[in-house]
PDB file of all heavy atoms in Angstrom:
ATOM      1  N   PRO A 361     -49.591 -76.943   5.858  1.00  0.00           N
ATOM      2  CA  PRO A 361     -48.397 -77.071   4.946  1.00  0.00           C
ATOM      3  C   PRO A 361     -47.999 -78.640   4.981  1.00  0.00           C
ATOM      4  O   PRO A 361     -48.239 -79.365   5.942  1.00  0.00           O
ATOM      5  CB  PRO A 361     -47.278 -76.388   5.772  1.00  0.00           C
ATOM      6  CG  PRO A 361     -47.983 -75.300   6.548  1.00  0.00           C
ATOM      7  CD  PRO A 361     -49.280 -76.060   7.000  1.00  0.00           C
ATOM      8  N   ALA A 362     -47.481 -79.028   3.771  1.00  0.00           N
ATOM      9  CA  ALA A 362     -47.085 -80.435   3.482  1.00  0.00           C
ATOM     10  C   ALA A 362     -46.122 -80.940   4.556  1.00  0.00           C
ATOM     11  O   ALA A 362     -46.229 -82.224   4.982  1.00  0.00           O
ATOM     12  CB  ALA A 362     -46.603 -80.585   2.009  1.00  0.00           C
ATOM     13  N   GLY A 363     -45.147 -80.129   4.894  1.00  0.00           N
ATOM     14  CA  GLY A 363     -44.220 -80.553   5.841  1.00  0.00           C
ATOM     15  C   GLY A 363     -44.711 -80.902   7.228  1.00  0.00           C
ATOM     16  O   GLY A 363     -44.450 -81.799   7.879  1.00  0.00           O
ATOM     17  N   GLU A 364     -45.762 -80.136   7.613  1.00  0.00           N
ATOM     18  CA  GLU A 364     -46.448 -80.473   8.944  1.00  0.00           C
ATOM     19  C   GLU A 364     -47.152 -81.668   8.866  1.00  0.00           C
ATOM     20  O   GLU A 364     -47.102 -82.561   9.863  1.00  0.00           O
ATOM     21  CB  GLU A 364     -47.461 -79.346   9.286  1.00  0.00           C
ATOM     22  CG  GLU A 364     -46.836 -77.971   9.340  1.00  0.00           C
ATOM     23  CD  GLU A 364     -46.075 -77.503  10.654  1.00  0.00           C
ATOM     24  OE1 GLU A 364     -46.665 -78.070  11.769  1.00  0.00           O
ATOM     25  OE2 GLU A 364     -44.993 -77.191  10.578  1.00  0.00           O
ATOM     26  N   ILE A 365     -47.764 -82.024   7.795  1.00  0.00           N
ATOM     27  CA  ILE A 365     -48.565 -83.325   7.578  1.00  0.00           C
ATOM     28  C   ILE A 365     -47.533 -84.351   7.628  1.00  0.00           C
ATOM     29  O   ILE A 365     -47.795 -85.459   8.301  1.00  0.00           O
ATOM     30  CB  ILE A 365     -49.466 -83.194   6.323  1.00  0.00           C
ATOM     31  CG1 ILE A 365     -50.450 -82.173   6.511  1.00  0.00           C
ATOM     32  CG2 ILE A 365     -50.003 -84.614   6.092  1.00  0.00           C
ATOM     33  CD1 ILE A 365     -51.300 -81.967   5.106  1.00  0.00           C
ATOM     34  N   THR A 366     -46.353 -84.280   6.983  1.00  0.00           N
ATOM     35  CA  THR A 366     -45.399 -85.346   6.815  1.00  0.00           C
ATOM     36  C   THR A 366     -44.903 -85.637   8.283  1.00  0.00           C
ATOM     37  O   THR A 366     -44.808 -86.769   8.593  1.00  0.00           O
ATOM     38  CB  THR A 366     -44.275 -84.663   5.897  1.00  0.00           C
ATOM     39  OG1 THR A 366     -44.721 -84.524   4.730  1.00  0.00           O
ATOM     40  CG2 THR A 366     -43.193 -85.946   5.856  1.00  0.00           C
ATOM     41  N   VAL A 367     -44.625 -84.553   9.028  1.00  0.00           N
ATOM     42  CA  VAL A 367     -44.007 -84.761  10.367  1.00  0.00           C
ATOM     43  C   VAL A 367     -45.026 -85.534  11.209  1.00  0.00           C
ATOM     44  O   VAL A 367     -44.708 -86.512  11.897  1.00  0.00           O
ATOM     45  CB  VAL A 367     -43.665 -83.443  11.068  1.00  0.00           C
ATOM     46  CG1 VAL A 367     -43.430 -83.680  12.590  1.00  0.00           C
ATOM     47  CG2 VAL A 367     -42.481 -82.811  10.415  1.00  0.00           C
ATOM     48  N   MET A 368     -46.393 -85.147  11.167  1.00  0.00           N
ATOM     49  CA  MET A 368     -47.281 -85.842  11.935  1.00  0.00           C
ATOM     50  C   MET A 368     -47.481 -87.407  11.540  1.00  0.00           C
ATOM     51  O   MET A 368     -47.372 -88.267  12.377  1.00  0.00           O
ATOM     52  CB  MET A 368     -48.686 -85.172  11.745  1.00  0.00           C
ATOM     53  CG  MET A 368     -49.876 -85.807  12.575  1.00  0.00           C
ATOM     54  SD  MET A 368     -51.443 -84.867  12.427  1.00  0.00           S
ATOM     55  CE  MET A 368     -51.860 -85.296  10.598  1.00  0.00           C
ATOM     56  N   ALA A 369     -47.366 -87.612  10.103  1.00  0.00           N
ATOM     57  CA  ALA A 369     -47.470 -88.882   9.633  1.00  0.00           C
ATOM     58  C   ALA A 369     -46.352 -89.860   9.935  1.00  0.00           C
ATOM     59  O   ALA A 369     -46.498 -90.976  10.325  1.00  0.00           O
ATOM     60  CB  ALA A 369     -47.719 -88.873   8.157  1.00  0.00           C
ATOM     61  N   VAL A 370     -45.100 -89.195   9.864  1.00  0.00           N
ATOM     62  CA  VAL A 370     -43.907 -89.980  10.332  1.00  0.00           C
ATOM     63  C   VAL A 370     -43.958 -90.396  11.918  1.00  0.00           C
ATOM     64  O   VAL A 370     -43.728 -91.459  12.269  1.00  0.00           O
ATOM     65  CB  VAL A 370     -42.676 -89.065  10.086  1.00  0.00           C
ATOM     66  CG1 VAL A 370     -41.426 -89.655  10.781  1.00  0.00           C
ATOM     67  CG2 VAL A 370     -42.366 -89.027   8.620  1.00  0.00           C
ATOM     68  N   THR A 371     -44.490 -89.399  12.682  1.00  0.00           N
ATOM     69  CA  THR A 371     -44.590 -89.669  14.144  1.00  0.00           C
ATOM     70  C   THR A 371     -45.483 -90.810  14.471  1.00  0.00           C
ATOM     71  O   THR A 371     -45.159 -91.777  15.060  1.00  0.00           O
ATOM     72  CB  THR A 371     -45.006 -88.473  14.782  1.00  0.00           C
ATOM     73  OG1 THR A 371     -44.038 -87.374  14.571  1.00  0.00           O
ATOM     74  CG2 THR A 371     -45.102 -88.646  16.374  1.00  0.00           C
ATOM     75  N   VAL A 372     -46.716 -90.736  13.727  1.00  0.00           N
ATOM     76  CA  VAL A 372     -47.699 -91.849  13.913  1.00  0.00           C
ATOM     77  C   VAL A 372     -47.081 -93.177  13.404  1.00  0.00           C
ATOM     78  O   VAL A 372     -47.229 -94.212  14.049  1.00  0.00           O
ATOM     79  CB  VAL A 372     -48.987 -91.473  13.109  1.00  0.00           C
ATOM     80  CG1 VAL A 372     -50.042 -92.728  13.175  1.00  0.00           C
ATOM     81  CG2 VAL A 372     -49.588 -90.181  13.876  1.00  0.00           C
ATOM     82  N   ALA A 373     -46.549 -93.098  12.125  1.00  0.00           N
ATOM     83  CA  ALA A 373     -46.044 -94.381  11.616  1.00  0.00           C
ATOM     84  C   ALA A 373     -45.037 -95.074  12.402  1.00  0.00           C
ATOM     85  O   ALA A 373     -45.018 -96.328  12.519  1.00  0.00           O
ATOM     86  CB  ALA A 373     -45.568 -94.063  10.209  1.00  0.00           C
TER      87      ALA A 373
END
Side-chain angles (χ1 to χ4, degrees):
E364 301 282 313
I365 297 174
T366 300
V367 170
M368 182 177 69
V370 167
T371 304
V372 172

